[in-house]
Amino acid sequence: MKNWKWTLPVGLLAIVAIALWFEPAFADKLSDAIAKAPIGDQPGQIPADPNAPKGFLGIPGSPVVNPILAFCWAVWVGWIFSTVGAFGGVMAGVGHMSVFGFGAYAGSFKKTAPDLGKIITDSIKASNQFLVGLSAAISSFNYLKMKRLVVPLAVTLGLGSLIGAWLAQELSAGKLDFKSYQGYFGLFVLLLGGWLLYETTPAGQAKKQTAKKAAKAFEDAAKKQASGESVDPKNVGLHINHFSISKCAFTFYGVPFQFNPLIPFLGGIVISAVAAFLGVGGGFLLVPFLTSVTQLPMYLAAGTSALAVLVSMVTSIITLLMKGTPIEWHFIGLEMLGIAVGSFVGPMTSKYFSDVWLKRLFIVLSVYVGVGYLLAGFFNYKIPGV
């Protein structure tokens, strides 16, 4: 665990070094795309006025974001990801696409300057992943200290994520217009909401007795510790009992779990490929996978998901950077400060929310965001707030 303190700064320095190395390619690619865009005052055009304000990516006439709004939204993204181990990428995407207006701006170039629209779309994806990657790094460290991270499970997921994230970005970078991206984004999130809703039904709950037992044990222990009562150390936290290629066994607050490492490895490939394609962390798929297939309670799923997401995000970001995707560094830097605040607060506050409450929050957000982006992307129909 002592070496973990170096993981975040070393990882960030490596990504920044790669970005600086490819910076000339970023500038040339973006400049060429801007030069090909038509000049004018209509949507999908670059303003003729040389003094027009430069917003996102330094493009004249692009959206200019209030820094206070950007910081506060990033705090929310960091909190929700570090609390439930998911939905950070989805909320980062909502912020970049809808709240800040980058999505509508990218979509305006679909017919007039498709190359520029695709570059902005890839930048939105990378921006989402920078935020989720930082939150995942901080959350992983915090959950590891609290013994709420199943490292063998996260590692097997992460190994699969390396393959899936690289493959998805290799195949999709620079090829997806914004409206298509938005529609697919909504479709996957909506499907997620439907699956989570099913899990709240009697049929879904009947399959999760182990997770419910572990969640109750954790909540009872937290209440006892808060009231000053003594708790048996053997029944506190996470304890790995056995790990091999075919089996991993552990206990969480006295409740036994076991899984075959091959299953999360394969799951990691599929989930990270989907997540990288959408430009999100994948926690919104990893958490249901962990709570359904391995029956982890939300208290363990959040931390375990975070470490797997971190591996996927680093792989995906590096691949996008090597493809020449430009990054708005000043804007991302401000957001990452907000992410850090939210990510440190999340693990400390999650114990005050019940497992059921967190899942209900998850369902509401999934359905509303999913329907909104599905309608906007594929049918050009907007609903309020999305």
Side-chain angles (χ1 to χ4, degrees):
M1 188 183 299
K2 292 180 179 179
N3 293 329
W4 270 73
K5 64 183 180 181
W6 298 107
T7 302
L8 179 58
V10 170
L12 289 176
L13 286 173
I15 292 175
V16 170
I18 291 172
L20 292 175
W21 178 267
F22 287 97
E23 186 68 30
F26 301 164
D28 291 343
K29 185 176 180 180
L30 181 59
S31 297
D32 290 344
I34 293 174
K36 294 177 182 178
I39 304 297
D41 297 324
Q42 300 300 314
Q45 297 178 337
I46 301 297
D49 182 3
N51 297 318
K54 296 181 179 180
F56 186 58
L57 296 177
I59 303 173
S62 60
V64 178
V65 181
N66 184 309
I68 297 176
L69 174 62
F71 178 80
C72 291
W73 189 267
V75 172
W76 158 246
V77 171
W79 181 85
I80 195 169
F81 179 82
S82 60
T83 300
V84 301
F87 234 82
V90 173
M91 284 294 101
V94 170
H96 291 142
M97 287 189 281
S98 300
V99 179
F100 305 150
F102 301 156
Y105 183 69
S108 70
F109 292 104
K110 181 176 182 179
K111 295 181 179 179
T112 59
D115 288 343
L116 180 57
K118 291 174 182 178
I119 289 173
I120 297 171
T121 299
D122 280 344
S123 185
I124 292 172
K125 291 168 62 176
S127 299
N128 296 346
Q129 293 172 334
F130 264 103
L131 302 193
V132 179
L134 176 61
S135 184
I138 296 172
S139 300
S140 298
F141 178 72
N142 287 335
Y143 279 116
L144 184 65
K145 290 195 299 182
M146 292 187 286
K147 294 186 176 181
R148 286 168 54 188
L149 193 161
V150 187
V151 175
L153 179 54
V155 169
T156 51
L157 276 170
L159 290 174
S161 297
L162 281 170
I163 299 172
W166 173 80
L167 187 62
Q169 297 298 8
E170 279 291 320
L171 296 176
S172 69
K175 301 174 183 175
L176 198 65
D177 66 81
F178 177 74
K179 282 295 182 181
S180 298
Y181 166 61
Q182 187 180 37
Y184 286 121
F185 190 102
L187 177 61
F188 281 106
V189 176
L190 182 59
L191 291 174
L192 166 68
W195 174 255
L196 291 174
L197 184 61
Y198 162 75
E199 288 195 330
T200 63
T201 64
Q205 288 294 308
K207 299 178 180 180
K208 305 185 68 178
Q209 296 303 316
T210 303
K212 291 171 68 176
K213 185 177 179 182
K216 186 177 186 305
F218 174 76
E219 291 170 2
D220 290 344
K223 290 177 182 177
K224 288 181 179 179
Q225 290 176 321
S227 63
E229 295 183 46
S230 61
V231 180
D232 186 352
K234 295 181 180 179
N235 292 327
V236 174
L238 178 73
H239 300 280
I240 305 295
N241 300 324
H242 175 79
F243 180 73
S244 65
I245 296 177
S246 59
K247 177 183 177 181
C248 179
F250 62 94
T251 60
F252 180 64
Y253 283 84
V255 179
F257 292 84
Q258 70 176 42
F259 66 92
N260 183 333
L262 181 61
I263 295 175
F265 173 75
L266 296 175
I269 294 176
V270 176
I271 291 171
S272 68
V274 172
F277 172 73
L278 296 175
V280 296
F284 72 106
L285 293 174
L286 283 169
V287 169
F289 176 81
L290 292 171
T291 57
S292 300
V293 177
T294 62
Q295 294 199 37
L296 292 188
M298 192 68 83
Y299 301 110
L300 274 182
T304 304
S305 166
L307 184 55
V309 166
L310 175 60
V311 174
S312 176
M313 289 301 88
V314 171
T315 305
S316 185
I317 289 170
I318 290 175
T319 305
L320 280 173
L321 291 177
M322 294 179 70
K323 290 286 185 179
T325 301
I327 304 296
E328 181 64 71
W329 290 110
H330 297 293
F331 179 71
I332 288 296
L334 175 62
E335 286 191 303
M336 290 176 81
L337 288 176
I339 287 290
V341 174
S343 298
F344 275 112
V345 173
M348 299 175 188
T349 59
S350 64
K351 63 183 179 182
Y352 299 109
F353 301 98
S354 72
D355 201 54
V356 174
W357 188 93
L358 291 174
K359 182 154 288 187
R360 286 173 179 168
L361 171 65
F362 216 178
I363 291 171
V364 172
L365 292 173
S366 296
V367 172
Y368 192 77
V369 171
V371 169
Y373 282 152
L374 178 65
L375 292 176
F378 291 147
F379 303 100
N380 202 32
Y381 180 83
K382 288 180 65 69
I383 64 174
V386 178

